[in-house]
Amino acid sequence: MNCIVQVLVHTPLLRDYFLSDKHICHLQETPESCLACEMFNIFQEFYSGQSDPHIPYKLVYLIWKHAEYLIGFDQQDAHEFLIAILDGLHAHCQNKETDEKLYHTVSHCNCIIHQVFTGCYQSDVFCSKCNYVSTAIDPFWDISLDLGETTGNKNGIDPNPESLVDCLRRYTRPESLHCTHCSHCQAYDSTMKQLTIKKLPVVACFHLKRLAAPNSGQKVCNKNTTHVMFPEFLDMSPFMSTTCGERNNLPNGAHSRDLHNSENVFSLFAVVSHRGDQAGGHYISYIRQHRDRWYLCDDDAIMKSSLNDVLESEGYLLFYHKQNCVPLRYFLSHGKNVLCENNQFCDQVRSCTSSVTLLPLWCLISM
């Protein structure tokens, strides 16, 4: 829990929202049960200048009320907690709706959680015989990426990905749908499916699926400890629907203009890592503070870290912030920390990351 709270209080748009007192509680009869109000209190205390560690016991109680599967003091999955707290904040940042109705209002929501974290992916199912394409658009708060071997490659077994970009390439690669008929021409085994990114969020969260479900006869899950390289700066242009559609001759990709768009550049600002094995362990977070300063947050211990330590860590949740101020010309320069589809790099982008300037860190007492 603590590592996720550290990430949220260092998310710039959430910070601006709660510190500017924009949240209006609509639970007038029971304001003490409002998760957004408690998050407001946490932001106020965090940025008050107090250096004493904070014990978020009330936040724990409210999360338990909204996500009963997290009740208990056993180790819980950080990704599950992230989704639970975003879901709860989404519910209590709405207007004049009941909780039950709010939890199902995702697609057309304008609350602060969806303004920051919601993107949309596009699912295309296309037939190689009649060229019919069926398209669906769905929202997401995070992108979960497989790390293990797959059989989706036309050449057989697809090995473990070595980098975040490898994972994204595999995520957006067309795959055959076996034993299915085309809904349009009824051709058998002729359909392909492809997931691409239709709309990028302001904050992109990538979930590296290190913890796999246990096999039959096993009591604990399996943990994939493969080191996955991830860049400080990430260009998402190659994985957008227009780019991928044009590459695969899909109708929806006909208007793609260029492969690299400066509006699709993201900057790493937080990493959640898991220390330990599948039987148990501990979550920590790396937080960027004002451009190049990185800190390791381990409950009530805050230690100075380095970018190299962050990039060498066993990333589990990777948080990137959109960088609208990055001009395209920066990608023509050579550097070592920006990873692009065409293997060009850029170091100068760092000078344009002031929108993710972060304020002092805070200690959290583990519960």
Side-chain angles (χ1 to χ4, degrees):
M1 180 195 71
N2 290 346
C3 61
I4 298 300
V5 174
Q6 286 283 9
V7 172
L8 294 181
V9 296
H10 286 90
T11 300
L13 289 181
L14 286 184
R15 175 197 66 200
D16 295 344
Y17 175 82
F18 283 106
L19 290 184
S20 59
D21 203 15
K22 290 183 179 180
H23 170 63
I24 300 175
C25 181
H26 297 282
L27 301 178
Q28 299 296 337
E29 296 182 359
T30 57
E32 68 279 0
S33 65
C34 178
L35 183 59
C37 287
E38 177 58 20
M39 205 65 194
F40 167 80
N41 294 333
I42 288 176
F43 271 89
Q44 293 295 321
E45 185 165 347
F46 180 86
Y47 290 104
S48 67
Q50 298 291 330
S51 59
D52 296 332
H54 176 70
I55 304 176
Y57 62 91
K58 189 173 181 180
L59 179 67
V60 173
Y61 170 71
L62 293 176
I63 289 294
W64 283 356
K65 286 186 62 176
H66 290 284
E68 294 183 357
Y69 59 89
L70 293 176
I71 292 178
F73 293 96
D74 294 333
Q75 177 177 283
Q76 302 291 345
D77 181 60
H79 177 247
E80 289 185 351
F81 182 85
L82 171 67
I83 299 303
I85 193 170
L86 292 182
D87 205 23
L89 289 172
H90 154 67
H92 291 161
C93 286
Q94 293 290 314
N95 297 322
K96 301 177 182 179
E97 299 280 1
T98 64
D99 282 358
E100 182 179 358
K101 188 173 181 180
L102 289 173
Y103 274 108
H104 296 87
T105 308
V106 177
S107 300
H108 305 289
C109 176
N110 196 38
C111 74
I112 184 61
I113 298 303
H114 286 280
Q115 290 182 42
V116 176
F117 291 96
T118 298
C120 291
Y121 68 80
Q122 178 172 309
S123 175
D124 292 306
V125 177
F126 51 96
C127 177
S128 60
K129 299 293 185 182
C130 66
N131 294 323
Y132 175 74
V133 180
S134 174
T135 299
I137 309 295
D138 291 297
F140 65 81
W141 277 339
D142 68 299
I143 298 177
S144 293
L145 301 169
D146 290 319
L147 298 185
E149 295 181 345
T150 68
T151 56
N153 195 340
K154 291 185 291 185
N155 298 321
I157 298 291
D158 197 11
N160 291 334
E162 297 181 354
S163 68
L164 175 60
V165 170
D166 288 341
C167 293
L168 289 168
R169 288 196 188 108
R170 188 160 71 173
Y171 183 82
T172 57
R173 183 181 58 200
E175 60 176 328
S176 298
L177 298 180
H178 299 292
C179 303
T180 59
H181 292 84
C182 171
S183 61
H184 188 255
C185 71
Q186 302 304 313
Y188 185 71
D189 268 1
S190 64
T191 53
M192 303 278 290
K193 181 180 180 180
Q194 183 178 29
L195 288 177
T196 54
I197 309 301
K198 179 69 174 179
K199 173 184 173 292
L200 288 166
V202 176
V203 172
C205 172
F206 299 101
H207 168 219
L208 302 183
K209 296 167 69 173
R210 295 190 177 277
L211 303 177
N215 298 323
S216 59
Q218 291 182 321
K219 295 183 179 180
V220 295
C221 62
N222 298 313
K223 182 181 178 182
N224 188 323
T225 58
T226 301
H227 177 66
V228 177
M229 295 182 294
F230 51 92
E232 182 184 7
F233 298 98
L234 177 67
D235 180 12
M236 287 293 291
S237 298
F239 314 109
M240 302 300 293
S241 298
T242 50
T243 305
C244 292
E246 186 177 64
R247 186 182 302 153
N248 294 288
N249 297 318
L250 292 181
N252 57 12
H255 303 291
S256 178
R257 294 185 177 181
D258 51 44
L259 184 61
H260 297 285
N261 187 334
S262 61
E263 294 184 354
N264 300 330
V265 177
F266 284 75
S267 173
L268 184 71
F269 77 94
V271 173
V272 171
S273 180
H274 180 263
R275 290 178 172 176
D277 56 23
Q278 61 270 22
H282 181 63
Y283 288 101
I284 60 171
S285 58
Y286 294 92
I287 302 295
R288 191 179 76 184
Q289 183 192 41
H290 190 67
R291 298 185 182 175
D292 294 337
R293 298 176 187 172
W294 284 92
Y295 290 86
L296 168 61
C297 303
D298 186 357
D299 291 338
D300 58 338
I302 305 295
M303 294 161 280
K304 193 170 183 179
S305 187
S306 67
L307 175 60
N308 186 65
D309 290 338
V310 176
L311 299 182
E312 291 296 323
S313 67
E314 191 179 280
Y316 180 56
L317 298 174
L318 312 176
F319 294 87
Y320 285 84
H321 198 287
K322 200 171 187 179
Q323 298 297 303
N324 290 327
C325 66
V326 181
L328 192 60
R329 65 177 180 272
Y330 285 120
F331 286 101
L332 301 178
S333 301
H334 181 76
K336 62 181 179 179
N337 290 321
V338 178
L339 186 54
C340 302
E341 178 75 6
N342 61 358
N343 292 323
Q344 289 186 325
F345 298 90
C346 164
D347 220 17
Q348 292 92 326
V349 182
R350 192 175 293 108
S351 63
C352 290
T353 59
S354 57
S355 63
V356 198
T357 298
L358 305 176
L359 297 181
L361 289 160
W362 193 34
C363 297
L364 292 163
I365 296 295
S366 179
M367 297 191 62

